[in-house]
Amino acid sequence: MAADLLGLAQLLLNGLALGAAYALVALGFVLILNATGAVNFAQGDLVMLGGYVAIALSRWLDLAGIDLSGPALLPLVMLAMAGCGLLFSALAWRPFRSRPPIFGLLATVALGLVLQEAMNALEGAAPRAGPTLVGTGDLRIGPFGLSRSALGIMAAALVIGLAQAWLLGHTQFGRRLRASAQDPVTARALGLPVDRLIAGSFALAAALAGAVGLLLSGPYFVTPSMGNDLILRAYIAVTIGGWGSLKGAVAGALLIALFESVVAGYTSSVAATAALYGVVLLVLAVRPAGLFPEPLGRRA
């Protein structure tokens, strides 16, 4: 009995690490949703791009004789990906900003496919290992074991998530972004640079994607198609948590990761995925607005 409880606790601990990575993807997803009202289906592909950017930066720095640890590489990857986010907004949002949201959604799908094919051509389909954030090996916490990579993912997700909450809730940029998202017409009339603020939200979402790409590239490797599974998990997390809700996105991501970890531990990963879709259908039937619905007037 005690062994069973310890096994369950270990599965929950593993699920927390996976949920932290899902949460960062979902936060970037919600950020664009709140800023533009459109779904960015390329957020997972931006995570994939972040992983390859981390590998490329690590490779170039090694050639230059500069040895940077994973934590020191993290801000460089996020900065590079923020630049990619600005370019992404110019291609996927700006040309379609006066059209119905479906145009922006299709543009993100198209750009995501372009990213996948481009990386497939440049790096090939084989998995690539990226730099590790906190090294390899396991840590023992009492009777439990946890890899250093998983611990690094949880710590980085906590710091980045709190920083994003502070940026959006307690800075002028965050207040202006929320005002622009809630009523862009009035925001423009008041002189707010709505287009630049939305471009900034794309840069922030891409920086988050870069962080996830680096975090996952070490322990889980990178492939051109890895974004498909990540964006699906982010979509499910946001659906369960409540569309437009940052805390709902985090809660949804943690719930689905814990659920998958436990079910897969006692059955198989295929059964866990099938069961997860069943839970999504149940949540939609019982609480169609999600577990933490965001009032329409406060969505920002």
Side-chain angles (χ1 to χ4, degrees):
M1 183 63 180
D4 291 342
L5 290 176
L6 287 177
L8 176 61
Q10 181 67 63
L11 291 173
L12 292 173
L13 200 56
N14 296 339
L16 279 179
L18 190 60
Y22 287 169
L24 286 179
V25 181
L27 284 174
F29 188 87
V30 171
L31 188 63
I32 298 300
L33 176 67
N34 280 335
T36 66
V39 174
N40 178 15
F41 268 110
Q43 188 67 20
D45 296 310
L46 289 173
V47 172
M48 173 272 294
L49 182 62
Y52 282 113
V53 167
I55 293 172
L57 280 175
S58 179
R59 186 187 305 158
W60 294 337
L61 289 171
D62 280 344
L63 290 176
I66 302 173
D67 184 21
L68 279 186
S69 62
L73 195 61
L74 182 61
L76 295 180
V77 173
M78 294 182 72
L79 186 62
M81 285 301 298
C84 293
L86 291 176
L87 178 62
F88 195 88
S89 72
L91 296 174
W93 170 76
R94 195 175 181 84
F96 310 103
R97 63 187 186 278
S98 59
R99 298 187 180 184
I102 186 66
F103 284 84
L105 184 151
L106 293 176
T108 63
V109 172
L111 278 177
L113 291 174
V114 168
L115 287 176
Q116 287 186 31
E117 293 304 321
M119 297 317 301
N120 209 4
L122 291 172
E123 297 286 342
R128 297 270 182 164
T132 57
L133 191 68
V134 290
T136 57
D138 293 336
L139 292 175
R140 298 299 303 179
I141 306 173
F144 307 111
L146 189 66
S147 70
R148 291 178 183 273
S149 297
L151 194 62
I153 290 174
M154 287 193 285
L158 180 63
V159 172
I160 293 172
L162 290 176
Q164 183 184 349
W166 173 79
L167 181 69
L168 295 178
H170 301 283
T171 66
Q172 189 179 54
F173 171 77
R175 287 190 286 272
R176 288 183 172 186
L177 182 63
R178 295 202 310 274
S180 299
Q182 193 164 342
D183 190 346
V185 175
T186 302
R188 281 194 177 90
L190 293 173
L192 293 182
V194 174
D195 289 352
R196 279 187 286 168
L197 286 168
I198 291 178
S201 70
F202 272 94
L204 182 57
L208 282 174
V212 182
L214 171 59
L215 294 172
L216 297 182
S217 65
Y220 299 110
F221 302 107
V222 184
T223 65
S225 61
M226 67 178 287
N228 296 333
D229 193 48
L230 288 172
I231 192 59
L232 184 59
R233 294 296 187 276
Y235 192 89
I236 292 174
V238 173
T239 301
I240 291 177
W243 281 78
S245 169
L246 290 176
K247 68 179 180 182
V250 174
L254 291 175
L255 284 174
I256 64 173
L258 291 172
F259 180 84
E260 277 191 301
S261 179
V262 172
V263 176
Y266 287 105
T267 57
S268 68
S269 58
V270 174
T273 302
L276 178 61
Y277 293 141
V279 171
V280 173
L281 290 176
L282 181 62
V283 171
L284 288 176
V286 177
R287 290 182 68 88
L291 300 176
F292 301 95
E294 188 80 356
L296 187 59
R298 294 178 54 197
R299 284 184 58 175

